[in-house]
Amino acid sequence: MATIKQIRCIHTRRNGSWTIVKVMTDQDGLYGIGSASDLYNPEAVVQVIEQLIAPLLVGKDADRIEDIWQTLHLSGYWRHGSIQQTAIGAIDMALWDIKGKEAGKPVYQLLGGACRSAVPCYGHAGGKDLSMLVEEVHRYLEEGYTVVRCQLGAYGGGGFREDLTNRPEGSWTNGPVFDEQTYLNAIPAMFEQLRLKFGPEIQFTHDVHEHLNPITAIQLAKRLEPYHLFFLEDALPPDQLGWYRQLRQQCTTPQAVGELFTNPQEYVPLIQERMIDFIRVRVSKAGGISACRKIATLGETFGVRTAWQEGGENDPVNQAAAVHLDMAIWNFGIQEINHFTEEEQEVFPGCIERKGGYLYVSEKPGLGIDIDEDKAALLLEADWNKSKYHRPYPLDRKADGTIVRP
């Protein structure tokens, strides 16, 4: 039996936003890694791991994954916060990595074995205008993707207005402002042109990123019905999940939800009442492989598929954990893609490999991915200082100054 000897946090990426946990055991050369990355509060996660979790786990049997998960779940008394869930998720991934190495098998084999030969993924196409977007979609199709997310620029793109005529005196912003009606008109028009250009066979998704009030979100979903989206993502914010009942009654546009979820009380009713079609929690934010396997099982019971969230700030270790789950889950739907530079991939030997529109796991034991700590340190910017890190989420506003909820 391997015993946990030490738990370390390793910072990397240029801005230091990636945090990788390394769980060391008393057996020579046996360790596991997990993703503890949080773009907005990286040091808060580290403090939870170093001050709360590490003292609890040193000396414990690394094989007791479920018992350790339950222990950590209750260790801070208050539960399901994003910081604590990320810390738990990191440890959980690392313990599964260790168990796979002990067994000499990749993690997906320990989860029941392969349900598919590879993992379909979708690309992110965007452009400031339709012509740029069409060019991006063409590029992804040429690379072999069959599902493409389409956005007019950043989140809310198509709904931003530069003109100053609709702003009050003393406006709180001089930059672009978000206008719901403009967005409500632009996105269906965008998909109308995309269908005319690419036909009915290509699968499209779109991310609303919770920018709309509930009734406008329902109107958008209804207006998108003729374009047969693969899914519409996060039409409503976590604050207004009850509106998914009305949305489901009004239209058949498939709904993907959960990027901001950390608490099971958010996603359980949506799944049980069949109000959504895809659950999109991030593996690390939901509490790791152990938690997400249970979420997937619940989804299978009620006909809801998985579409684990990645995001541009996510790291290769979380991606590896997600793809191992994808391989072993029957009700898998689609996997969001994340792209890493060659320099970043060199830090993580064994990165998930993409060929065309599919992702392939390494057949090495565990998660099949490692971290080169020397290269990880070199990847950091020379003047990086964790005490000066400050990156709050950038918020959009309406013309009158009202904050738009992400």
Side-chain angles (χ1 to χ4, degrees):
M1 293 289 184
T3 300
I4 297 171
K5 184 178 180 180
Q6 183 186 25
I7 298 174
R8 297 172 43 233
C9 294
I10 304 163
H11 292 288
T12 190
R13 213 177 204 189
R14 292 189 182 280
N15 60 2
S17 63
W18 284 350
T19 306
I20 306 302
V21 162
K22 196 168 189 177
V23 176
M24 314 294 295
T25 75
D26 61 350
Q27 295 187 16
D28 188 37
L30 179 61
Y31 60 86
I33 61 173
S35 168
S37 299
D38 187 295
L39 181 62
Y40 308 108
N41 297 284
E43 283 305 303
V45 181
V46 172
Q47 291 301 309
V48 170
I49 292 170
E50 292 182 347
Q51 295 182 0
L52 177 64
I53 290 178
L56 276 173
L57 296 190
V58 170
K60 295 289 194 301
D61 181 355
D63 284 339
R64 290 166 50 183
I65 297 177
E66 181 65 20
D67 182 68
I68 286 174
W69 195 98
Q70 297 293 342
T71 299
L72 299 183
H73 174 61
L74 302 173
S75 63
Y77 187 60
W78 288 277
R79 313 195 259 285
H80 304 306
S82 65
I83 301 304
Q84 184 173 355
Q85 289 290 80
T86 305
I88 293 171
I91 299 297
D92 186 75
M93 289 180 199
L95 295 180
W96 277 103
D97 191 25
I98 290 169
K99 186 173 284 288
K101 290 172 179 175
E102 285 182 309
K105 293 181 178 295
V107 166
Y108 78 86
Q109 292 285 8
L110 305 184
L111 299 176
C115 286
R116 53 196 50 83
S117 58
V119 173
C121 58
Y122 66 92
H124 295 171
K128 293 182 179 179
D129 55 38
L130 186 62
S131 63
M132 292 177 65
L133 175 59
V134 166
E135 186 177 330
E136 276 282 282
V137 173
H138 269 301
R139 180 173 67 84
Y140 278 106
L141 296 180
E142 289 171 357
E143 290 182 13
Y145 290 86
T146 57
V147 182
V148 182
R149 190 186 77 172
C150 299
Q151 309 284 142
L152 284 174
Y155 295 126
F160 289 105
R161 299 185 59 172
E162 299 275 359
D163 62 279
L164 302 177
T165 58
N166 66 337
R167 302 183 193 219
E169 294 181 7
S171 175
W172 290 358
T173 176
N174 293 320
V177 294
F178 182 74
D179 182 80
E180 287 191 339
Q181 190 61 44
T182 301
Y183 184 83
L184 182 60
N185 293 332
I187 301 308
M190 174 189 79
F191 279 112
E192 180 181 22
Q193 293 302 311
L194 289 174
R195 281 292 177 220
L196 289 172
K197 183 72 176 178
F198 295 103
E201 300 301 323
I202 304 304
Q203 299 271 29
F204 292 129
T205 79
H206 178 71
D207 188 357
V208 179
H209 213 59
E210 305 102 355
H211 271 53
L212 304 176
N213 70 62
I215 197 66
T216 308
I218 294 174
Q219 291 172 346
L220 176 67
K222 289 182 67 174
R223 290 178 63 173
L224 290 175
E225 269 191 302
Y227 310 115
H228 305 290
L229 268 61
F230 187 77
F231 62 62
L232 183 66
E233 180 182 344
D234 286 335
L236 295 164
D239 323 60
Q240 300 295 341
L241 297 180
W243 281 85
Y244 274 107
R245 293 184 183 88
Q246 286 89 334
L247 196 159
R248 180 64 98 199
Q249 292 166 2
Q250 292 290 324
C251 75
T252 59
T253 298
Q255 301 298 313
V257 185
E259 180 172 325
L260 294 179
F261 289 178
T262 59
N263 188 328
Q265 296 308 312
E266 296 170 302
Y267 60 73
V268 168
L270 294 175
I271 294 174
Q272 287 180 329
E273 296 183 41
R274 298 176 175 90
M275 290 187 283
I276 62 173
D277 304 276
F278 297 87
I279 185 72
R280 272 190 50 73
V281 297
R282 181 177 294 189
V283 175
S284 63
K285 293 294 180 187
I289 292 171
S290 296
C292 286
R293 183 173 60 162
K294 296 173 185 177
I295 295 170
T297 301
L298 179 67
E300 181 181 348
T301 302
F302 293 96
V304 175
R305 290 182 281 174
T306 65
W308 310 126
Q309 192 260 346
E310 275 291 325
E313 86 283 2
N314 217 343
D315 62 65
V317 179
N318 187 83
Q319 185 185 59
V323 176
H324 275 272
L325 280 162
D326 296 336
M327 285 291 292
I329 292 170
W330 176 83
N331 57 316
F332 162 79
I334 195 77
Q335 177 62 54
E336 183 173 9
I337 188 64
N338 204 339
H339 300 283
F340 307 112
T341 67
E342 289 186 13
E343 190 178 22
E344 289 169 345
Q345 291 183 60
E346 288 177 1
V347 173
F348 295 94
C351 269
I352 294 298
E353 185 178 6
R354 181 187 64 82
K355 297 178 183 177
Y358 292 90
L359 299 172
Y360 297 84
V361 294
S362 165
E363 292 299 325
K364 295 179 180 178
L367 292 175
I369 189 170
D370 204 349
I371 182 169
D372 184 319
E373 294 193 49
D374 291 333
K375 290 182 179 179
L378 292 174
L379 196 60
L380 289 165
E381 292 177 345
D383 60 349
W384 177 76
N385 185 333
K386 66 180 181 181
S387 65
K388 296 182 179 179
Y389 188 100
H390 183 245
R391 188 165 181 167
Y393 183 82
L395 297 171
D396 298 319
R397 292 183 182 270
K398 297 181 180 180
D400 66 359
T402 302
I403 289 176
V404 177
R405 289 187 182 274

